[in-house]
Amino acid sequence: MKEQQAWHSKTAEQVFHLLSTSNKGLTDNEITARTEQYGPNRLTPAKKQHPVIKFLSQFKNILIYVLLVAAVVTALLDHWIDAWVILSVVIINALVGFVQEGKAEKALDAIKNLLSPQAMVRRNNRTFTIPSDQLVPGDIVILQSGDKVPADMRLFSVRNLRIDESLLTGESLPAEKNSKTVKSDTPLAERANMTFSGTLVTYGKGEGVVTETGDQTEIGRISSMLGKVETLETPLLRRIDEFARTLTVAIVLLSALLFGFGVFARGYSLTQMFNAAVGLAVAAIPEGLPAIMTIALAIGVEAMAHRKAIIRRLPAIETLGSVSVICTDKTGTLTRNEMTVKSVALPGKRFEVTGSGYDPHGTFQLDGREIDLRNHSQMRAIAHASLLCNDATLQFRDEQWTISGDPTEGALCVLGKKAGYDPDLERQNWPRIDLIPFESEHRFMATLHHDHTDRTFIYLKGAPEVVLERCTKQRHGEAEEPLNYQYWENITQKMAAQGHRLLAIASKKTISGQETLTFEDVASGLTLIGIVGMIDPPRDEAIVAVKRCQQAGIRVKMITGDHVDTARAIGKMTGIGDGSKALTGTEIEAMSDEELQQKVNGIDVFARSSPEHKIRLVKALQSNGSVVAMTGDGVNDAPALKRADVGIAMGQKGTEVSREASEMILADDNFATIASAVEQGRTVYDNLKKSILFVLPTNGGEALSILFAVALGYTLPVTAVQILWVNMVTAVTLALTLAFEKAENNVMERKPRKSGEPILSGFIVWRIVYVSLILLSGTFGLFLWYEKAGYSHDMARTVAVNTLVMFEIFYLLSSRFFVASVFSKKGLLGNPAVLYAIGILIVLQSLFNYTPFMQTLFATVPIGLSDWLTILLVSSSVLFLVELEKYILRKRRADSLTI
Ligand code: ATP
């Protein structure tokens, strides 16, 4: 069994020895044995609240207190049946809340599991990616900038490695790492040769051997971290919760006033007024609303995950609905990230390359005629450099050519192979001694090689302007000549205007025996070999999605590191910008924040921009009042992702660092997914509003009926326990169904919702009052009619209760669309949840009316067919009246109405 060791005080060799491993990695047998011994590399999840505690926490609610007091007083008044009914309703409500909360939590947990991180390991001397939870002690892990460290590790090879360890040490500056042994009593923050699980690589590369996994890691031992459980909460839910609480207190006070008024001013008995006051309280308090909203939100999160948008922070769902600008990357998001080299420019000539995708079959052509590469040493040279200054590999698997690594480099591999080179052989013959990896900030990559005769040279590839400024000469055939800057600039522009992504390739001879490559080595004195142009076609679905966003009043802006002409051309192909206006990073740098703020709205394409520009753009847009969604993938995108209202990270090519900084992750890196997430965000918000719009008038109608009865001196049209019944059965059936509503047709035709807009807009308040009054008139009216006709109180009340329930059924149908008509097949039958809920409610209501047990509990009497016809006639009026109101609204241009 592995002991807990002071790994930092041992040399790398000792650590390898102690863990029976080597820098080539573990063997298959070892891995199986260790997986069994140590288990998965996962932290034991925080202990969930015990179900009993969770159930009891459902009782923490003012309405429940009111009801419990009511039950006790009712019992003291000797109304035992009512007391039991109230108590049972309390318990059933708590049970329903408990089950619903559990469901919502489950939905969230399932989504968390989608976010499992990956690690690059070396096993059996082969390097590949595996899910981090499969790591075992002794595994060799390769870290690079942007990764999240997957386990505790002793580093043995380090290149400019910097790690953000603030999670463990609280130190905000990244720690510089090396592989030197330190004393055993060195504090954690100074163990430069160790990296710890959960920390983030902000720069450089490194290799380490896993020393501890799972709960044995430093982070695993800090138990406080494990206690963090995310709760279902968003600003809107919080506001609704607060609103419900304030409303409850107000209603309790109002009930007390009513009690006083009834007893003293109207001369009702104490018992009568007590019943009325309790009735009012249970009628008016929207006790089910917060739970319904939570469910609507959880369903929204699930639906988004199905559409490949994974929400990391819940409030983002709401913000998504109000996004007014989307700033997106180009490569891979708008385009397919499947690169193919199409042309190669050499001095005085431009060659075409045939073939498609990553299939390395194709030819080189000049003026439409195939050329023989044996006569074109410079073309061979550029293909050779393309292979060596390259980390990608090409393979033929499952009848298909695929690459692993960066697609830009994959395309260059294909170019090398088309030129007749074997990538593995070339890389063996010309071994790489050192490299400067590609980073978006400097836009180039350089490698140092030697051959068997110890000739040493550098290859450099990168954005043309970056490479050109480092070159003094250009290669021409076998010879070298002074660089013709103007020629290259012209050709660059021409190639970029076709939407090609460009890379210039250069070389430099150095002194033999050179072992390290510095930025200074590639700062000047290089010889340009040529420029390659590759295509990366736009995604068809992205083009459609851009259009949909624009129709939805959302501006789409492209922020790319690519050449300005390439960006313009791709922008034009995808419908972003007008193909002419664009700003480059250099131009942004020359502007003050105020100037940028003025310009930013009118420009949609930003090229050659780096992460610092992104953050300035977000700030400028936000100062103009926009709600900004911004995509990003690199380590340095993190600040802009955090600053944006919705930071969106890439699930495939994004770094762990960018994911940690984001609100949402695109599992497929696709722009179309952002558009559908916005649509879903709008839909969730709509459904939350629809739930409010449905629930509150019911409470309003019930409460008004009681207030009216007392004010006019009548007996109550519905008793407190009957109201409890109605609220309970409708909360578990009808009210939940609106959470399942699909997007309305016009959801992506409306302008974005203004952020900070109150949920109870003028329209919503109006609709609540309107429907409350309809419910009041119908329920109270029928009750009075039956009373006047000489029926018993119980009969009149049974009719009133059933009218109320039927009103809700008809109103639910109407509530499915805000202002659109529901008089269509889709409108009436389109949501199966609605139909099931109505079915269940009818069964429950029949039990309520016709079983002797219920008749005893709720003082109901069986009603006949003609009563039902009357009830249906009255209650269906709500559907027609609301549809009439919608019709008038539509006529008065309701589309411009703020819902
Ligand atoms: P975005 O994804 O934001 O749309 P991008 O992917 O086009 O941007 P970068 O990856 O930062 O932007 O690339 C910027 C430029 O750097 C490219 O136009 C290209 O010239 C050069 N470049 C890209 N990848 C490499 C690489 N692997 N090696 C050398 N140069 C590269």
Side-chain angles (χ1 to χ4, degrees):
M1 186 78 184
K2 180 173 71 65
E3 285 168 46
Q4 194 81 40
Q5 301 263 4
W7 301 103
H8 52 281
S9 67
K10 312 252 180 301
T11 63
E13 293 312 319
Q14 285 170 327
V15 176
F16 284 144
H17 179 71
L18 282 167
L19 292 168
S20 317
T21 184
S22 75
N23 61 0
K24 295 197 169 60
L26 296 168
T27 59
D28 286 341
N29 289 344
E30 275 296 325
I31 295 160
T32 322
R34 290 187 195 197
T35 308
E36 244 167 59
Q37 187 181 351
Y38 298 108
N41 173 32
R42 218 183 288 140
L43 298 181
T44 314
K47 265 223 179 97
K48 290 246 162 94
Q49 244 180 4
H50 193 276
V52 175
I53 308 272
K54 253 193 199 164
F55 176 68
L56 289 179
S57 69
Q58 299 289 330
F59 290 88
K60 272 195 274 170
N61 175 325
I62 305 184
L63 177 74
I64 303 278
Y65 301 151
V66 173
L67 289 179
L68 289 176
V69 172
V72 173
V73 178
T74 319
L76 289 178
L77 293 173
D78 246 8
H79 292 271
W80 282 100
I81 296 184
D82 285 358
W84 280 118
V85 172
I86 297 177
L87 261 186
S88 330
V89 168
V90 167
I91 291 170
I92 292 173
N93 256 333
L95 261 177
V96 170
F98 171 74
V99 172
Q100 287 179 348
E101 214 170 77
K103 270 196 200 146
E105 268 177 21
K106 247 199 205 137
L108 276 196
D109 280 352
I111 281 150
K112 262 191 224 141
N113 291 338
L114 293 176
L115 297 172
S116 65
Q118 307 274 316
M120 202 193 288
V121 288
R122 188 173 311 123
R123 289 174 168 179
N124 295 311
N125 208 17
R126 274 188 52 235
T127 306
F128 51 96
T129 312
I130 58 166
S132 297
D133 62 2
Q134 292 178 9
L135 287 175
V136 290
D139 257 328
I140 303 298
V141 171
I142 295 124
L143 294 173
Q144 52 189 358
S145 117
D147 287 354
K148 188 174 184 172
V149 177
D152 285 4
M153 303 196 296
R154 165 70 162 90
L155 295 163
F156 60 84
S157 157
V158 166
R159 187 166 170 114
N160 297 330
L161 187 65
R162 271 180 244 150
I163 300 207
D164 172 358
E165 293 185 335
S166 52
L167 176 72
L168 285 176
T169 61
E171 172 59 56
S172 59
L173 280 184
E176 194 85 42
K177 295 290 170 180
N178 60 47
S179 53
K180 287 189 213 127
T181 309
V182 292
K183 284 212 218 98
S184 65
D185 59 355
T186 312
L188 186 102
E190 289 161 33
R191 293 180 198 163
N193 60 8
M194 296 288 296
T195 58
F196 303 101
S197 180
T199 58
L200 299 166
V201 184
T202 58
Y203 196 82
K205 278 194 163 184
E207 289 188 16
V209 49
V210 173
T211 52
E212 310 289 348
T213 55
D215 290 336
Q216 298 309 309
T217 57
E218 290 297 330
I219 190 76
R221 287 193 266 155
I222 306 177
S223 52
S224 66
M225 283 296 301
L226 305 180
K228 255 211 267 171
V229 189
E230 212 187 328
T231 47
L232 268 161
E233 209 182 61
T234 74
L236 175 65
L237 278 200
R238 226 173 298 136
R239 266 187 285 153
I240 291 292
D241 228 7
E242 272 161 26
F243 166 73
R245 235 174 291 153
T246 323
L247 196 67
T248 308
V249 174
I251 289 165
V252 172
L253 287 178
L254 185 69
S255 305
L257 276 180
L258 181 80
F259 182 78
F261 171 81
V263 173
F264 299 111
R266 282 264 176 266
Y268 284 104
S269 75
L270 282 180
T271 323
Q272 266 177 324
M273 271 329 290
F274 180 76
N275 273 337
V278 171
L280 177 65
V282 293
I285 298 172
E287 69 274 13
L289 196 57
I292 292 165
M293 309 270 288
T294 308
I295 287 281
L297 212 63
I299 288 173
V301 175
E302 251 184 335
M304 282 199 198
H306 273 298
R307 297 219 217 154
K308 303 218 181 307
I310 299 159
I311 295 289
R312 288 189 68 242
R313 303 204 174 92
L314 276 176
I317 307 190
E318 283 171 25
T319 328
L320 268 171
S322 61
V323 161
S324 58
V325 176
I326 301 175
C327 296
T328 172
D329 283 349
K330 170 179 71 66
T331 311
T333 315
L334 291 166
T335 64
R336 292 194 203 146
N337 209 9
E338 286 162 13
M339 314 264 178
T340 317
V341 175
K342 281 284 164 195
S343 60
V344 179
L346 300 183
K349 295 186 200 92
R350 197 170 148 194
F351 297 83
E352 303 303 320
V353 186
T354 64
S356 69
Y358 295 124
D359 183 345
H361 297 93
T363 57
F364 293 78
Q365 299 186 342
L366 185 62
D367 300 328
R369 276 215 299 277
E370 193 173 329
I371 58 162
D372 185 350
L373 279 191
R374 277 175 301 189
N375 307 325
H376 285 270
S377 65
Q378 189 161 359
M379 185 63 92
R380 290 203 309 275
I382 206 166
H384 192 240
S386 297
L387 278 181
L388 294 189
C389 190
N390 194 324
D391 281 327
T393 51
L394 182 67
Q395 57 263 325
F396 188 66
R397 233 186 252 154
D398 303 330
E399 306 290 304
Q400 221 184 347
W401 286 96
T402 55
I403 58 141
S404 50
D406 174 8
T408 306
E409 300 192 346
L412 293 177
C413 261
V414 174
L415 180 77
K417 218 159 158 29
K418 280 180 184 166
Y421 290 112
D422 173 354
D424 291 338
L425 195 66
E426 292 310 310
R427 287 172 185 172
Q428 255 172 40
N429 288 344
W430 308 83
R432 181 190 292 181
I433 317 167
D434 202 6
L435 96 154
I436 300 175
F438 173 77
E439 299 273 352
S440 302
E441 283 79 80
H442 51 248
R443 297 200 183 94
F444 70 80
M445 166 179 175
T447 47
L448 178 68
H449 302 263
H450 65 72
D451 67 3
H452 297 308
T453 60
D454 221 17
R455 277 184 303 170
T456 314
F457 58 91
I458 297 168
Y459 275 140
L460 174 92
K461 76 173 198 304
E465 62 276 27
V466 176
V467 176
L468 281 172
E469 69 181 18
R470 288 154 207 266
C471 294
T472 41
K473 288 176 272 177
Q474 63 191 37
R475 184 170 163 160
H476 199 160
E478 298 288 338
E480 284 186 357
E481 59 187 26
L483 184 79
N484 180 351
Y485 194 86
Q486 199 54 48
Y487 166 77
W488 294 109
E489 210 173 50
N490 288 344
I491 200 115
T492 303
Q493 238 172 37
K494 266 193 209 140
M495 291 167 84
Q498 294 173 316
H500 284 189
R501 182 174 172 84
L502 303 181
L503 283 169
I505 299 180
S507 67
K508 182 179 180 178
K509 291 202 181 75
T510 65
I511 41 165
S512 84
Q514 178 172 345
E515 287 199 339
T516 51
L517 189 58
T518 63
F519 276 82
E520 214 166 287
D521 294 325
V522 291
S524 61
L526 282 109
T527 304
L528 183 74
I529 314 178
I531 293 183
V532 300
M534 45 187 86
I535 52 156
D536 176 16
R539 294 173 182 262
D540 295 335
E541 66 277 22
I543 300 176
V544 179
V546 167
K547 198 155 188 191
R548 283 184 62 220
C549 287
Q550 288 163 344
Q551 278 167 351
I554 301 168
R555 278 203 88 132
V556 183
K557 295 183 188 281
M558 177 208 285
I559 306 183
T560 172
D562 224 329
H563 192 280
V564 63
D565 291 315
T566 314
R568 268 198 202 111
I570 299 283
K572 191 136 188 254
M573 289 182 216
T574 44
I576 301 174
D578 55 3
S580 68
K581 270 192 271 169
L583 268 189
T584 63
T586 329
E587 286 166 329
I588 296 177
E589 260 158 46
M591 283 183 191
S592 68
D593 286 345
E594 291 71 35
E595 276 175 278
L596 187 62
Q597 195 185 328
Q598 267 178 14
K599 283 239 160 142
V600 71
N601 280 3
I603 293 175
D604 293 338
V605 174
F606 301 87
R608 285 296 188 233
S609 50
S610 48
E612 301 85 72
H613 305 136
K614 277 192 173 178
I615 191 151
R616 282 192 64 200
L617 286 169
V618 174
K619 284 185 187 163
L621 286 163
Q622 285 174 334
S623 335
N624 287 339
S626 303
V627 178
V628 184
M630 157 81 82
T631 66
D633 49 16
V635 187
N636 300 322
D637 286 335
L641 290 174
K642 277 196 189 137
R643 172 77 203 212
D645 299 283
V646 185
I648 304 173
M650 302 295 154
Q652 291 178 3
K653 68 170 188 167
T655 54
E656 254 332 297
V657 173
S658 62
R659 279 177 226 169
E660 297 266 311
S662 65
E663 267 84 29
M664 183 174 107
I665 296 179
L666 297 183
D668 59 357
D669 293 9
N670 190 341
F671 181 82
T673 304
I674 306 181
S676 69
V678 169
E679 179 180 343
Q680 196 65 43
R682 289 184 174 196
T683 310
V684 171
Y685 204 84
D686 276 3
N687 290 352
L688 294 177
K689 276 192 170 174
K690 284 177 188 174
S691 306
I692 294 177
L693 215 42
F694 173 71
V695 171
L696 291 187
T698 318
N699 295 109
E702 290 169 352
L704 286 177
S705 303
I706 292 186
L707 282 176
F708 255 71
V710 175
L712 301 177
Y714 289 107
T715 94
L716 295 185
V718 270
T719 63
V721 286
Q722 286 170 341
I723 289 178
L724 275 179
W725 163 264
V726 175
N727 286 0
M728 183 182 78
V729 290
T730 53
V732 295
T733 54
L734 306 187
L736 271 184
T737 58
L738 292 172
F740 294 92
E741 267 312 316
K742 299 246 168 15
E744 276 192 56
N745 280 345
N746 68 347
V747 74
M748 289 299 266
E749 282 157 27
R750 280 187 243 144
K751 297 258 163 303
R753 165 174 55 85
K754 292 209 182 64
S755 62
E757 182 189 283
I759 181 113
L760 290 179
S761 62
F763 165 76
I764 295 221
V765 172
W766 148 250
R767 174 78 60 84
I768 291 172
V769 173
Y770 178 58
V771 178
S772 299
L773 290 176
I774 299 174
L775 263 56
L776 164 72
S777 324
T779 313
F780 202 50
L782 263 191
F783 172 75
L784 283 186
W785 195 38
Y786 270 76
E787 286 257 305
K788 289 262 147 51
Y791 290 98
S792 68
H793 282 332
D794 282 351
M795 177 70 183
R797 281 187 182 138
T798 309
V799 170
V801 171
N802 283 301
T803 311
L804 205 52
V805 169
M806 292 312 293
F807 259 139
E808 291 204 40
I809 290 180
F810 284 110
Y811 179 48
L812 178 70
L813 292 175
S814 216
S815 300
R816 293 192 52 217
F817 304 150
F818 287 119
V819 284
S821 163
V822 294
F823 288 134
S824 64
K825 195 168 163 214
K826 183 181 166 211
L828 295 174
L829 308 172
N831 181 349
V834 167
L835 304 178
Y836 291 135
I838 293 177
I840 296 172
L841 185 55
I842 289 175
V843 172
L844 289 172
Q845 211 44 37
S846 309
L847 296 176
F848 177 80
N849 288 318
Y850 299 109
T851 56
F853 175 65
M854 294 288 216
Q855 287 167 353
T856 325
L857 290 187
F858 293 100
T860 49
V861 290
I863 50 176
L865 195 60
S866 63
D867 303 315
W868 273 118
L869 287 177
T870 320
I871 291 173
L872 283 178
L873 201 68
V874 170
S875 58
S876 59
S877 65
V878 72
L879 177 62
F880 298 106
L881 288 171
V882 173
E883 290 303 308
L884 177 71
E885 176 234 21
K886 287 182 185 177
Y887 175 77
I888 297 169
L889 282 174
R890 284 200 301 275
K891 279 273 166 243
R892 296 173 54 191
R893 298 206 51 80
D895 283 352
S896 54
L897 175 97
T898 323
I899 292 166

